[in-house]
Amino acid sequence: MTTSCQTSGKRVERIGILGAGRAGTALARIAAESGIPVNIAASRPPRMLKYHLMQYAPQAVAVNAEGIADGVGLVVLMVPQEDLDDIDPGTLAGITLVDATNRWQQEELPDWFEQGLRTGLSSSEVIAGHFDQARVVKALNHISHWDLDSFGRKSANPRRALGLASDYPEDALLTAGLLEALGYEPVVLDSLADGKLLEPGSAVFNQHLSASGLRQLLQL
Ligand SMILES: NC(=O)c1ccc[n+]([C@@H]2O[C@H](COP(=O)([O-])OP(=O)(O)OC[C@H]3O[C@@H](n4cnc5c(N)ncnc54)[C@H](OP(=O)(O)O)[C@@H]3O)[C@@H](O)[C@H]2O)c1
């Protein structure tokens, strides 16, 4: 069973984005447009990142990666999967962690990631096992940075739907509220394992769908 929660999502006050590349800065821009303050971090230090942000996400606040969870309602993970070993899981302890990552073609993955995938887990379940003190929600992975940025998403009728999956209902609701505030219609799947249905190669990946169209393609 899925839930479409057009009006029931909670409002998040400030978000953290880990990764300030194509996806991270696109999310930072639309969050700013939607009145949601953003802290953002990359592998380079804030004093170097701020020049990049001047061009790509001028309203976002550059912070250290180690402090990305400080003072935010949730953190969105937008770092390439091959770089995940460079992130100390302790820095993401106790928070809602929105996993927006995908494997890019034959991107080399950390050993723990390869091993987890071999057991048949969804990629977000493997991430949840590694960042085991965070409450993981899979979301924002099946839309490209171009589409994320798209003009008119709030006025589209029906709105584009984005799926999300988690084993934590409260965190799923918080993430649904974020998607809604950004101008999308959230469709909540039952479990993090169901997040497999949103992975690259799935029927819904990169597809522009309404909530009913998304549910239909997910066959749920
Ligand atoms: N691009 C899309 O359309 C899209 C859409 C949905 C999901 N995604 C997923 O999002 C992830 C990022 O994709 P992208 O296209 O945005 O990649 P990208 O343009 O290459 O940007 C990667 C960012 O991650 C940062 N980074 C690397 N290691 C880090 C670390 N240890 N701590 C903090 N930041 C670190 C980099 O920092 P520096 O800037 O300092 O190098 C850079 O800002 C991928 O898993 C991708 O599959 C991408």
Side-chain angles (χ1 to χ4, degrees):
M1 195 184 79
T2 57
T3 313
S4 171
C5 37
Q6 195 168 18
T7 56
S8 57
K10 289 182 180 173
R11 177 83 187 180
V12 63
E13 300 300 333
R14 173 178 285 274
I15 62 170
I17 304 174
L18 195 53
R22 290 161 294 190
T25 54
L27 178 60
R29 285 191 293 276
I30 66 164
E33 275 174 33
S34 308
I36 301 166
V38 170
N39 289 359
I40 192 165
S43 61
R44 66 191 107 167
R47 68 186 162 75
M48 290 170 70
L49 184 58
K50 68 182 181 189
Y51 298 107
H52 174 71
L53 293 181
M54 272 179 203
Q55 183 171 4
Y56 294 107
Q59 287 164 289
V61 177
V63 300
N64 281 305
E66 298 72 29
I68 193 62
D70 298 345
V72 299
L74 57 78
V75 171
V76 184
L77 184 63
M78 289 181 146
V79 167
Q81 292 181 341
E82 65 185 352
D83 295 324
L84 291 179
D85 260 348
D86 298 336
I87 300 168
D88 174 5
T91 65
L92 301 172
I95 58 152
T96 307
L97 180 64
V98 178
D99 172 29
T101 69
N102 296 306
R103 188 177 197 171
W104 177 245
Q105 294 183 347
Q106 288 313 305
E107 182 179 2
E108 203 170 316
L109 300 180
D111 288 345
W112 55 265
F113 212 136
E114 288 280 11
Q115 283 163 16
L117 292 178
R118 273 201 292 272
T119 68
L121 293 174
S122 69
S123 65
S124 291
E125 287 178 292
V126 181
I127 285 184
H130 183 70
F131 298 102
D132 61 352
Q133 294 177 72
R135 299 180 303 280
V136 172
V137 180
K138 184 182 195 71
L140 286 165
N141 74 300
H142 69 99
I143 181 169
S144 73
H145 68 281
W146 298 110
D147 285 357
L148 196 58
D149 239 350
S150 68
F151 178 76
R153 66 190 182 282
K154 290 192 170 176
S155 56
N157 187 15
R159 284 186 175 190
R160 179 168 175 167
L162 292 180
L164 63 121
S166 181
D167 294 333
Y168 295 93
E170 286 293 312
D171 304 88
L173 203 58
L174 188 68
T175 307
L178 171 64
L179 297 183
E180 195 176 13
L182 295 174
Y184 295 96
E185 185 162 353
V187 171
V188 184
L189 283 70
D190 275 347
S191 69
L192 199 56
D194 285 346
K196 213 167 209 173
L197 299 169
L198 307 174
E199 289 184 2
S202 70
V204 305
F205 196 77
N206 269 337
Q207 299 300 311
H208 195 303
L209 298 161
S210 65
S212 60
L214 183 63
R215 279 192 226 98
Q216 199 178 349
L217 266 190
L218 291 172
Q219 297 183 329
L220 294 166

